[in-house]
Amino acid sequence: MVTAPRVFNEVLLEVRRISLSFGGVKALTDISFDIRKGEIRAIIGPNGAGKTSMLNVINGFYHPQEGEVIFKGETRRAMRPHKAAKQGIARTFQNVALFKGMSTLDNIMTGRLLKMRSNVLLQALYWGPNEREEIEHRAFCEEIIDFLEIQAIRKTPVGKLPYGLQKRVELARALAMEPELLLLDEPMAGMNVEEKEDMSRFILDVNDHFGTTIALIEHDMGVVMDLSDRVVVLDYGRKLADGTPDEVRSNQEVVDAYLGVAH
Amino acid sequence: MKPLHILTWLVGALVTIFAIGGLHWGLAQIGWISFFDWSFYFEVSAAGLLQGVMYSLVALGFVLIFKASGIFNFAQGSLVLFAALTMVGLMELFERDFGIRLHWVLAFILTVGVMVLVAIAIERLVLRPLVNQPPIILFMATIGIFYFVDGFGQALWGSDVKVLDIGMPIASAVSPLGVRMNVYDLIAAGVGAALVAGLGVFFQYTRIGRALRAVADDHQAALSVGIPLKTIWTIVWSVAGVVALVAGIMWGGKAGVQFSLALIALKALPVLILGGFTSIPGAIVGGLIIGYGEQVAENFIGLEIGGAIQDWFAYVLALVFLLFRPQGLFGERIIERV
Amino acid sequence: MLYRETGQFKTTYRADQAIFPILQDKIGVLAILAFAVFVVPFAADNYLLETILVPVLVFSLAAIGLNILTGYCGQLSLGTGGFMACGAFFSYKLATAFPDLNLILVFLLAGLGTSVVGVLFGLPSLRIKGFYLAVATLAAQFFLIWVFNKFGWWTNDSPSGVISAPPREVLGFVVTSSEAHPISKYLFLVVLVAVLALVAKNLVRSRIGRSWMAIRDMDIAAEIIGIRPLVAKLSAFAVSSFYIGIAGGLWAFIYTGSVEALAFQIDRSFQVLFMVILGGLGSILGSFLGAIFIVLLPIALNVTMLAIDPTFSVALVSDMEFMLFGALIIFFLIVEPHGLARLWQIGKEKLRLWPFPY
């Protein structure tokens, strides 16, 4: 499929000169790039390049020693992840991080926590306003369930689901937050071709249907090149390249460091 | 630990002891506490530190098991009680039924045998079926062991207070540098130090020690490189059983062997929190701090607010400490990853 | 055949989210409640009421409390006894200082007071996890008992340190102290515990319950979807202590009538913890099952052992009890970590097909 590259102008998130280290180990050195509203942005690089650390910085789990993160035009101070969630950043994890003891539906419903308003006393009573609210959010979650085609496993405890489906439930939970920026950490790791195709379709649909901006880490170059609008390449905590898939693909440094070896 | 390291700690400890003494002196001056006397303070400190060695002995058993299996063994206290009960029980049994006065060394060896059997039983019946369960489940299982061993020991040997006599002086005291110290406590401290040194060498330099550390890190990975998990667990629980026995003898010889031993052993928990779960030196230092702290607190502040604060002082101290350094004095820093 | 959900279609989310979505469950629970209120008081003798049913109800409430903290929010606590003591002594001070205060209010206020204490001792849970926290809660256990034991103010300077519940009425019936009739005690408890259990069930299936479970299952992920760990954990401590505090008040006022601080020592904490583990972590129903089990077991053991040989000493029976509890805990953790509640559920699944297995 050949299409003209999509163009995005409005910057949603910008990271500026980020440096992060653990003790003496430098995880990220002087990294700057931006994510624009509505695009699918890929972060790639060999193992240990600092991709996950980068996502951790963006959603407030790690606090960089230097540099700043600017989200929706506001420079952020060091913040806890729950604040980032409140600002509209959702994410999935490299190793599925679902709530294993809860059902699929309950997992997705946790994504609605920030949107729910009843206080503890109303919740203790349940009937009345709290029930109305529960039902309203349930309806929203059901839409996502339909969208991601996981109706059949609604009530199954997620611990019992196969890996591929768990990844999908995790995506559903992130979507339930109605995020402006969705961070996906290796959404297709450990999947077979068919599952990867499904997941790619969902990612494109999400971007298309909800207009969600997506930043994703992925190792499968085919997927990255097909899905993403722009790619940033990290290696040993440094930025190697930044541009459209075609630009990145033809960048000699990237080829040396990464593509040349892997493919 | 390097010698310089130890020296720094020693100096630090002395300075702290003087500083806290000075603090109490100050409090006495402004009338917040009614009584302070330096020589009494040093006596209390010495007694507390020696008491602390006893705590360290119990804590050592916890650390061993935690290091080797990642299990927080709540039952260590009941093992202490059980070991001491068994030893006294065996001595009484031989005297009563066969008319032989069993030498305590023989009784010790027999009890070591029993503790190995207990270790094997625990490994077989509890640990093996629970392999790869989350740590909190294993922790609760050790609460089960705690109850079972307590009940079993007392059902077997009776629940009355027993006297353990291994021919050590209980009442005599010496006064080096003018500070009165109990000889029995000094001997206990010596035994404790020897045990710690031995275990330290065992862990760092032997093949089994290395295997133990590997198992602690990751059960499955250790299995996959051919470390026999069952054997290692049996060994470590046996060693912990022997450590419990030594602690039981030391405690029991002083205060009599009775049920409260199992509860005294709970004091080893705050010791661990202070020292860090994985560190043998930590268990020692933690024990000393708790022993010293609670004696001093009891004898000066405690008297002002009604006494018996040593029931909780150690726990509250540990709690406050946790807020500032969750990984303990010597524990490894926990880096969270996602 | 009888227990079958086939054909019970739900066409609204409301019906699907009802507290008992399956008709038979709804009927069953109502039947049990009706039985407990209308039949038991007249069929049971005083022994059954006072030594079995009353403690079961009081313990169920404590177990629900601990289950909220440990089973739902994943924060292990060994301080239950201390918090029960809080409830007991707070109730006593309130009831004696304000003799006209309604008894239900006394218990609720004592529960709220215990919540505050619980939150204070829950603060460390922010920085520490798992068994570190368990040790921290031991601090609460020992410190609180010391406070109630040491200061005469709590017992109104009773020389023995024992507090005796003053007689108080609810709806014209005396329900506390030795003046109360076992039936009124029992009925009061049944209603109170049923209401509180319902509230607990509502909480755990609402937003707050989901945030507790999220923290329990994976705290990092929970924070990343916007749950504030501070709020989730402390609210669990608060609600849990509220229940445990009320249970402590009921223990002192209704079950025993008079009590001293030492009745709430660490054994009590373990006892409630065992109820939660055996009954089922993360299950309100399990809290009841665990309480029934742990209350009945020693009685059954005692009766059996004395039937075998009447010369068994009391000490031996108590040692056997220890052993049995320990062994059962281990057994359940190995065989069915979800406890009796899970067994009940498995039973129901079987019943769905019975008597026509595929």
Side-chain angles (χ1 to χ4, degrees):
Chain A
M1 183 172 66
V2 182
T3 46
R6 305 193 289 173
V7 183
F8 305 92
N9 295 317
E10 192 187 337
V11 174
L12 180 67
L13 177 127
E14 186 180 357
V15 291
R16 238 182 238 164
R17 317 206 55 147
I18 295 280
S19 292
L20 172 76
S21 57
F22 297 103
V25 186
K26 288 227 141 196
L28 298 171
T29 315
D30 196 23
I31 295 198
S32 310
F33 64 88
D34 63 5
I35 298 172
R36 295 193 188 149
K37 203 170 172 60
E39 74 175 338
I40 297 180
R41 183 73 144 129
I43 303 174
I44 62 170
N47 283 326
K51 305 180 296 288
T52 300
S53 295
M54 195 63 239
L55 288 199
N56 285 341
V57 166
I58 292 178
N59 79 344
F61 192 67
Y62 290 161
H63 300 146
Q65 280 80 10
E66 281 168 52
E68 50 197 10
V69 179
I70 300 153
F71 184 60
K72 292 197 278 188
E74 261 177 70
T75 305
R76 282 196 335 199
R77 310 215 58 81
M79 60 160 66
R80 301 290 309 161
H82 63 82
K83 285 266 180 61
K86 208 164 206 168
Q87 291 187 338
I89 301 180
R91 103 168 244 197
T92 68
F93 296 84
Q94 196 170 346
N95 310 310
V96 185
L98 285 168
F99 307 124
K100 294 253 164 16
M102 299 159 77
S103 69
T104 300
L105 181 63
D106 277 338
N107 265 279
I108 301 173
M109 284 290 274
T110 58
R112 302 298 296 168
L113 278 173
L114 283 177
K115 312 270 179 208
M116 295 173 102
R117 291 282 163 261
S118 353
N119 62 32
V120 177
L121 286 179
L122 287 178
Q123 291 177 50
L125 273 176
Y126 198 83
W127 292 278
N130 184 57
E131 188 175 31
R132 278 198 295 280
E133 190 181 56
E134 288 275 330
I135 289 167
E136 188 185 305
H137 289 287
R138 166 84 187 265
F140 185 89
C141 290
E142 289 289 344
E143 272 177 39
I144 292 168
I145 288 175
D146 283 348
F147 185 77
L148 293 178
E149 296 160 20
I150 46 179
Q151 298 92 334
I153 55 165
R154 222 187 241 125
K155 299 237 164 129
T156 319
V158 291
K160 288 185 179 165
L161 296 176
Y163 184 73
L165 278 178
Q166 290 193 3
K167 284 249 168 198
R168 215 186 282 181
V169 176
E170 207 188 6
L171 178 63
R173 186 181 66 189
L175 285 180
M177 293 168 67
E178 297 179 81
E180 284 186 61
L181 174 62
L182 178 59
L183 311 172
L184 304 173
D185 195 348
E186 301 200 18
M188 288 160 230
M191 289 186 168
N192 62 29
V193 178
E194 211 170 305
E195 286 170 328
K196 276 184 186 177
E197 279 172 359
D198 278 347
M199 190 49 107
S200 305
R201 181 162 57 84
F202 287 130
I203 291 174
L204 286 173
D205 280 354
V206 166
N207 181 250
D208 194 44
H209 188 92
F210 298 104
T212 314
T213 311
I214 295 173
L216 67 95
I217 294 177
E218 187 46 61
H219 276 297
D220 186 320
M221 278 310 122
V223 170
V224 169
M225 296 303 162
D226 283 351
L227 284 186
S228 52
D229 296 302
R230 291 190 305 149
V231 182
V232 57
V233 190
L234 304 184
D235 190 22
Y236 291 111
R238 287 167 197 284
K239 189 168 96 169
L240 276 192
D242 189 353
T244 62
D246 288 331
E247 287 164 11
V248 167
R249 209 192 319 243
S250 54
N251 183 314
Q252 191 55 44
E253 250 186 296
V254 176
V255 175
D256 287 347
Y258 187 34
L259 295 178
V261 187
H263 291 265
Chain B
M1 281 177 90
K2 298 180 195 79
L4 188 69
H5 231 105
I6 296 176
L7 193 71
T8 330
W9 272 95
L10 273 179
V11 174
L14 278 175
V15 170
T16 316
I17 289 176
F18 272 98
I20 292 179
L23 181 73
H24 281 91
W25 177 82
L27 287 176
Q29 294 303 311
I30 55 171
W32 284 27
I33 54 178
S34 48
F35 168 74
F36 183 80
D37 172 63
W38 279 101
S39 73
F40 179 60
Y41 171 73
F42 285 124
E43 222 165 85
V44 166
S45 306
L49 288 174
L50 292 173
Q51 172 97 340
V53 176
M54 302 278 212
Y55 290 146
S56 305
L57 270 180
V58 182
L60 205 59
F62 279 94
V63 172
L64 277 178
I65 289 178
F66 192 79
K67 258 175 105 98
S69 52
I71 297 172
F72 185 98
N73 178 24
F74 199 84
Q76 187 67 19
S78 63
L79 289 182
V80 171
L81 172 68
F82 182 77
L85 271 178
T86 308
M87 183 156 155
V88 186
L90 282 172
M91 286 164 85
E92 278 179 358
L93 185 78
F94 273 85
E95 180 133 21
R96 191 179 60 231
D97 291 1
F98 310 110
I100 313 165
R101 261 196 77 84
L102 196 61
H103 193 269
W104 70 267
V105 176
L106 273 175
F108 180 86
I109 293 168
L110 281 176
T111 314
V112 168
V114 174
M115 295 315 285
V116 171
L117 288 181
V118 170
I120 293 173
I122 289 177
E123 193 276 325
R124 272 284 151 80
L125 302 175
V126 184
L127 301 183
R128 201 180 297 179
L130 285 174
V131 75
N132 273 329
Q133 293 282 350
I136 208 80
I137 296 280
L138 282 157
F139 172 66
M140 293 196 276
T142 64
I143 296 183
I145 300 178
F146 171 80
Y147 260 66
F148 185 84
V149 172
D150 269 358
F152 184 59
Q154 294 185 72
L156 207 58
W157 304 112
S159 43
D160 41 338
V161 181
K162 293 185 171 56
V163 180
L164 176 62
D165 181 14
I166 53 169
M168 287 224 289
I170 293 194
S172 61
V174 289
S175 310
L177 301 170
V179 179
R180 246 178 78 93
M181 280 188 259
N182 195 316
V183 173
Y184 186 88
D185 289 346
L186 282 174
I187 296 176
V191 172
L195 202 62
V196 171
L199 287 171
V201 170
F202 177 70
F203 253 96
Q204 282 307 326
Y205 301 110
T206 65
R207 209 164 58 94
I208 294 179
R210 197 177 313 122
L212 284 175
R213 282 182 284 148
V215 170
D217 232 32
D218 191 325
H219 298 170
Q220 283 193 325
L223 268 175
S224 72
V225 293
I227 294 171
L229 202 57
K230 298 173 207 160
T231 327
I232 293 293
W233 275 357
T234 311
I235 290 175
V236 79
W237 279 77
S238 305
V239 175
V242 175
V243 173
L245 174 58
V246 175
I249 293 172
M250 292 300 161
W251 275 107
K254 197 176 172 189
V257 178
Q258 54 182 317
F259 180 68
S260 65
L261 267 189
L263 292 178
I264 292 173
L266 279 183
K267 283 263 177 70
L269 300 176
V271 168
L272 290 169
I273 288 207
L274 249 71
F277 283 164
T278 50
S279 160
I280 290 180
I284 308 300
V285 176
L288 293 177
I289 294 177
I290 294 283
Y292 159 82
E294 76 175 13
Q295 283 298 320
V296 170
E298 176 71 36
N299 279 294
F300 295 104
I301 308 262
L303 286 181
E304 305 298 319
I305 55 170
I309 67 170
Q310 47 185 319
D311 284 357
W312 54 265
F313 182 79
Y315 299 97
V316 175
L317 185 68
L319 187 64
V320 173
F321 183 83
L322 271 178
L323 294 179
F324 297 101
R325 215 182 140 80
Q327 72 270 35
L329 276 174
F330 293 89
E332 291 132 25
R333 196 181 165 77
I334 314 142
I335 296 179
E336 283 184 289
R337 308 176 63 109
V338 283
Chain C
M1 184 67 180
L2 286 174
Y3 188 82
R4 198 174 56 169
E5 54 190 291
T6 322
Q8 299 188 22
F9 300 111
K10 284 155 230 150
T11 48
T12 60
Y13 292 136
R14 186 165 196 270
D16 196 39
Q17 293 191 162
I19 185 164
F20 301 112
I22 298 168
L23 185 68
Q24 286 89 336
D25 280 349
K26 197 186 271 173
I27 296 173
V29 168
L30 288 177
I32 288 172
L33 265 180
F35 182 76
V37 174
F38 298 115
V39 182
V40 172
F42 308 105
D45 59 359
N46 286 356
Y47 172 82
L48 184 65
L49 285 173
E50 289 211 303
T51 50
I52 297 178
L53 292 175
V54 167
V56 160
L57 287 167
V58 174
F59 270 127
S60 302
L61 205 56
I64 290 174
L66 184 63
N67 220 332
I68 285 174
L69 187 63
T70 304
Y72 284 97
C73 196
Q75 312 295 308
L76 188 56
S77 162
L78 299 176
T80 317
F83 294 129
M84 282 178 82
C86 275
F89 283 88
F90 290 176
S91 309
Y92 179 68
K93 285 307 283 187
L94 280 167
T96 50
F98 307 101
D100 295 330
L101 199 61
N102 185 299
L103 188 68
I104 295 174
L105 264 180
V106 168
F107 287 136
L108 290 181
L109 287 175
L112 285 178
T114 312
S115 285
V116 174
V117 180
V119 167
L120 278 181
F121 280 99
L123 281 173
S125 67
L126 267 171
R127 300 215 41 185
I128 54 179
K129 292 175 187 169
F131 13 74
Y132 280 91
L133 183 68
V135 176
T137 57
L138 279 178
Q141 172 69 43
F142 290 108
F143 180 73
L144 292 170
I145 298 302
W146 177 81
V147 167
F148 296 124
N149 206 21
K150 208 75 209 174
F151 299 105
W153 186 79
W154 291 107
T155 57
N156 289 347
D157 293 310
S158 132
S160 55
V162 175
I163 52 171
S164 297
R168 288 286 180 274
E169 293 179 357
V170 171
L171 299 176
F173 293 96
V174 181
V175 293
T176 65
S177 85
S178 50
E179 286 172 32
H181 193 278
I183 292 183
S184 19
K185 284 186 181 183
Y186 165 79
L187 278 178
F188 174 66
L189 277 179
V190 164
V191 174
L192 186 67
V193 171
V195 169
L196 285 171
L198 179 65
V199 167
K201 182 75 192 169
N202 282 342
L203 284 177
V204 299
R205 66 199 181 111
S206 291
R207 171 189 136 100
I208 192 169
R210 281 193 294 270
S211 72
W212 292 337
M213 289 188 271
I215 289 281
R216 170 195 69 192
D217 284 348
M218 190 160 259
D219 52 353
I220 294 171
E223 192 172 357
I224 279 166
I225 59 165
I227 295 171
R228 278 157 54 203
L230 173 77
V231 175
K233 285 179 182 173
L234 291 188
S235 63
F237 266 97
V239 175
S240 157
S241 310
F242 178 74
Y243 276 85
I244 293 172
I246 292 182
L250 294 175
W251 175 289
F253 274 53
I254 295 181
Y255 173 37
T256 57
S258 63
V259 82
E260 57 179 334
L262 298 179
F264 299 110
Q265 274 182 318
I266 189 160
D267 314 14
R268 194 69 60 226
S269 303
F270 284 128
Q271 200 178 9
V272 180
L273 180 66
F274 286 178
M275 289 172 188
V276 172
I277 297 177
L278 292 183
L281 286 162
S283 158
I284 301 288
L285 170 72
S287 309
F288 283 96
L289 297 178
I292 294 171
F293 193 74
I294 298 277
V295 169
L296 284 184
L297 188 69
I299 298 174
L301 184 72
N302 208 335
V303 171
T304 342
M305 281 185 67
L306 291 183
I308 296 169
D309 183 351
T311 59
F312 278 139
S313 71
V314 182
L316 187 65
V317 175
S318 120
D319 291 338
M320 292 302 285
E321 199 183 304
F322 263 68
M323 288 170 66
L324 195 61
F325 276 144
L328 271 172
I329 287 295
I330 297 169
F331 178 79
F332 263 87
L333 287 174
I334 292 171
V335 177
E336 189 44 83
H338 297 287
L340 292 167
R342 177 77 192 129
L343 288 182
W344 170 248
Q345 213 176 3
I346 293 173
K348 284 206 294 190
E349 311 246 301
K350 291 258 187 308
L351 209 57
R352 281 163 76 175
L353 306 181
W354 184 87
F356 303 116
Y358 294 110

